[in-house]
Amino acid sequence: MVHKRLAFIRTFGCQMNERDTETIRGLLQQEGYGFTDHPEDADLILYNTCCVRENPERKVYGQVGQLQELKAKKPELIIGICGCMPQQQEELPILLERLPHVDLFFGTHNIHRLPELLHRIYATGERVVEILDDGGEPVEGLPALRNNDFKAFVTIMHGCNNFCSYCIVPYVRGRERSRTPEAILEEIRSLADRGVKEVTLLGQNVNSYGKDLKLDVDFADLLELINEVPGIRRIRFTTSHPKDISDKLIRQLGRLEKVCEHLHLPVQAGSNNVLKAMNRRYTREYYLEIVEKVRQEVPGISLTTDIMVGFPGESDADFADTLSLVEKAKFDSAFTFIYSPRKGTPATEMPDQVPEEVKKERIYQLIELQNKVSLELNQALVGTQVEVLVEGVSKSDSQMLTGKTRTAKTVVFPGNQGLIGELVKVKITEAQTWSVVGELI
Ligand code: SAH
Ligand code: SF4
Ligand code: F3S
């Protein structure tokens, strides 16, 4: 019997990258590969990488560095690095030099070329490096092997045009390219046919969906089309840029019954000086106005955000503005980050870089405040009834199930595993900072 080749894939970064990994798995499956969770059993080890901050990059150097031993024992093993790290012009030569045992490098624009690149390695035994500068039109019809039977990510657009001054994403993902509504709907219909109930639409800035197409369809229209797909029960999307959120979209959020009452709206900072230097192109006042409008149009909506501390030039007063915005906006939760300088972005060259200790002190304060707000908002839910999509068994207690409300809150409750993948009604009985506890009704 021929040995079935096994692949081990490790994914860093955002949901886009997770979705790309599903395509990679689909392509490898077509090539006859199986999958393993143990690198030592693998014939192919692939790292799908992220470079948005220094930390995930450092992990890749560390973990892939350690594979040198395995490769020495098993020379036929193929090790590959793909995704955003090798896509950075300045990082690629460093990767090539520091990780001499890596056989394959490809970027974000040529995932579909993976089978061909692997064949080239098998045929020549030589290192293969292929990075394309430009995305071109979205490639359709690629297979995907998804991990979950009832919820799915659907990429609706690639790239970003915004060039926030701290951010590497536009350099490694190219300009905005929207998939056509037909291609998106076809994917979602076939997911629904297979029993998927919840879709999360992905793009770096979904609010600018369609602007690059020669069609008269914007993101609000796309939501309306997806809302019609039978079988789909919940629609989520991420990420929205505050500068591009339209009144039309806010109305659709309130009107379309499948669109969940949750908006992830990264604010990044609460000070107008910092927002300007970040090239975010909105003010604190404008952001708070949107929050107000959204809450009026969609009562009970939950609001989450991304916030960064320690951007170059951020003074104590600027940081105090971030804290006061957090108090005013009342986010249900926030991803908080310490600014990390990225090669090739304008912010790296800005004067007045903030010292590490100051950044750390600020992020502690920010997290403490946000936790207080999150807990208060969760406490207000005690006694209410919510719809939960059951996602799995709780990691800490096998008698408990976990799932998400339409407002993207994690709910933990006693129940039987047969409910996984179902929509159930739960009464909230207890609040914690990052989740709530409940019981089935
Ligand atoms: N497109 C999305 C976010 C993509 S990156 C948006 O615009 O909201 C996810 C988050 O990482 C960002 O919202 C930002 O808060 C953070 N981030 C991006 N670049 C960073 C950097 N250089 N240092 C620290 N955090 C960063
Ligand atoms: Fe980065 Fe800004 Fe684009 Fe988001 S909108 S991916 S933060 S450049
Ligand atoms: Fe990271 Fe690339 Fe996503 S840099 S955040 S994996 S787009």
Side-chain angles (χ1 to χ4, degrees):
M1 208 183 89
V2 188
H3 159 76
K4 183 172 184 166
R5 286 184 174 137
L6 293 178
F8 168 92
I9 310 179
R10 180 92 212 263
T11 309
F12 289 92
C14 62
Q15 290 145 325
M16 283 292 178
N17 245 22
E18 285 180 39
R19 179 63 192 81
D20 286 348
T21 291
E22 294 175 344
T23 300
I24 291 172
R25 281 162 43 88
L27 289 164
L28 289 174
Q29 189 184 38
Q30 279 187 347
E31 290 295 298
Y33 274 86
F35 298 92
T36 174
D37 295 330
H38 307 286
E40 57 283 7
D41 296 337
D43 303 281
L44 168 67
I45 296 179
L46 201 54
Y47 271 71
N48 191 5
T49 60
C50 170
C51 54
V52 80
R53 285 172 290 278
E54 193 191 347
N55 219 11
E57 286 200 321
R58 208 181 307 133
K59 281 191 191 149
V60 167
Y61 279 110
Q63 292 182 20
V64 177
Q66 280 178 9
L67 294 175
Q68 200 146 17
E69 234 172 90
L70 193 61
K71 175 86 181 175
K73 269 196 269 174
K74 196 173 162 184
E76 70 282 10
L77 167 69
I78 296 179
I79 303 176
I81 293 187
C82 63
C84 295
M85 264 175 92
Q87 192 71 46
Q88 290 174 95
Q89 256 168 27
E90 298 180 33
E91 197 66 26
L92 182 63
I94 306 173
L95 281 163
L96 292 174
E97 198 195 313
R98 277 185 53 191
L99 300 170
H101 55 297
V102 173
D103 308 279
L104 171 64
F105 292 87
F106 61 101
T108 57
H109 299 313
N110 54 347
I111 289 174
H112 58 286
R113 301 255 311 137
L114 173 59
E116 153 84 24
L117 302 178
L118 282 173
H119 287 286
R120 217 190 293 163
I121 299 179
Y122 293 133
T124 65
E126 281 172 16
R127 187 182 234 192
V128 168
V129 183
E130 186 183 276
I131 310 290
L132 308 184
D133 289 340
D134 176 16
E137 298 232 327
V139 181
E140 295 296 345
L142 297 178
L145 183 57
R146 291 173 152 103
N147 275 329
N148 196 298
D149 296 329
F150 49 87
K151 55 174 199 167
F153 290 137
V154 176
T155 301
I156 62 163
M157 60 192 296
H158 304 270
C160 181
N161 289 356
N162 287 323
F163 291 93
C164 303
S165 62
Y166 50 80
C167 186
I168 193 76
V169 171
Y171 304 89
V172 294
R173 291 273 170 175
R175 293 300 67 70
E176 287 174 0
R177 284 143 6 246
S178 301
R179 294 178 69 201
T180 63
E182 291 75 31
I184 295 167
L185 285 166
E186 194 183 302
E187 184 175 347
I188 294 178
R189 283 194 200 108
S190 90
L191 290 167
D193 286 345
R194 296 210 319 261
V196 167
K197 296 189 172 88
E198 179 183 293
V199 288
T200 302
L201 312 177
L202 301 180
Q204 294 300 346
N205 177 17
V206 292
N207 302 136
S208 60
Y209 172 81
K211 287 187 182 157
D212 57 311
L213 295 174
K214 286 172 194 71
L215 300 167
D216 197 16
V217 181
D218 63 14
F219 182 57
D221 301 327
L222 183 70
L223 284 178
E224 181 139 17
L225 292 169
I226 299 171
N227 197 60
E228 301 301 316
V229 178
I232 296 299
R233 305 282 295 275
R234 291 176 161 194
I235 304 167
R236 302 187 182 284
F237 56 89
T238 195
T239 299
S240 292
H241 195 302
K243 80 176 164 54
D244 293 318
I245 200 158
S246 64
D247 287 348
K248 179 176 167 190
L249 178 66
I250 296 176
R251 274 198 305 280
Q252 293 286 59
L253 298 184
R255 201 174 70 81
L256 298 173
E257 73 280 3
K258 294 181 184 173
V259 175
C260 289
E261 295 77 24
H262 169 223
L263 183 64
H264 184 65
L265 196 63
V267 66
Q268 312 298 358
S271 141
N272 283 336
N273 301 332
V274 174
L275 287 171
K276 185 143 197 272
M278 286 177 163
N279 190 30
R280 289 292 286 181
R281 288 174 278 171
Y282 54 83
T283 60
R284 157 198 184 87
E285 293 74 22
Y286 178 79
Y287 184 91
L288 288 169
E289 225 172 87
I290 292 180
V291 169
E292 183 97 346
K293 258 193 222 168
V294 170
R295 289 228 159 95
Q296 244 161 36
E297 203 72 35
V298 195
I301 194 169
S302 78
L303 210 63
T304 56
T305 199
D306 294 349
I307 311 173
M308 207 185 294
V309 299
F311 187 80
E314 183 187 69
S315 66
D316 287 340
D318 291 324
F319 177 62
D321 283 347
T322 293
L323 293 178
S324 87
L325 183 132
V326 166
E327 271 178 351
K328 280 206 167 91
K330 296 226 177 300
F331 300 114
D332 288 79
S333 66
F335 294 108
T336 52
F337 305 106
I338 288 182
Y339 166 71
S340 168
R342 305 283 70 208
K343 271 180 244 147
T345 63
T348 308
E349 313 295 325
M350 288 180 186
D352 304 326
Q353 299 281 330
V354 177
E356 276 317 302
E357 328 68 88
V358 178
K359 289 183 184 169
K360 285 212 177 103
E361 178 52 37
R362 286 182 185 165
I363 200 159
Y364 292 143
Q365 275 191 53
L366 176 62
I367 291 172
E368 199 180 344
L369 172 62
Q370 180 53 50
N371 286 352
K372 192 178 103 202
V373 177
S374 295
L375 181 61
E376 276 169 16
L377 293 174
N378 285 349
Q379 278 163 344
L381 294 176
V382 173
T384 60
Q385 297 183 4
V386 289
E387 180 201 86
V388 176
L389 177 59
V390 186
E391 296 193 346
V393 174
S394 158
K395 282 199 190 101
S396 53
D397 181 348
S398 63
Q399 304 297 310
M400 303 289 267
L401 297 174
T402 75
K404 289 247 160 53
T405 63
R406 287 175 60 99
T407 55
K409 302 258 179 193
T410 301
V411 186
V412 184
F413 58 99
N416 117 18
Q417 298 196 13
L419 292 174
I420 294 172
E422 300 297 321
L423 288 161
V424 296
K425 283 258 180 292
V426 172
K427 183 175 168 188
I428 309 292
T429 54
E430 193 189 321
Q432 291 166 354
T433 306
W434 296 291
S435 61
V436 292
V437 182
E439 55 196 33
L440 282 165
I441 301 173

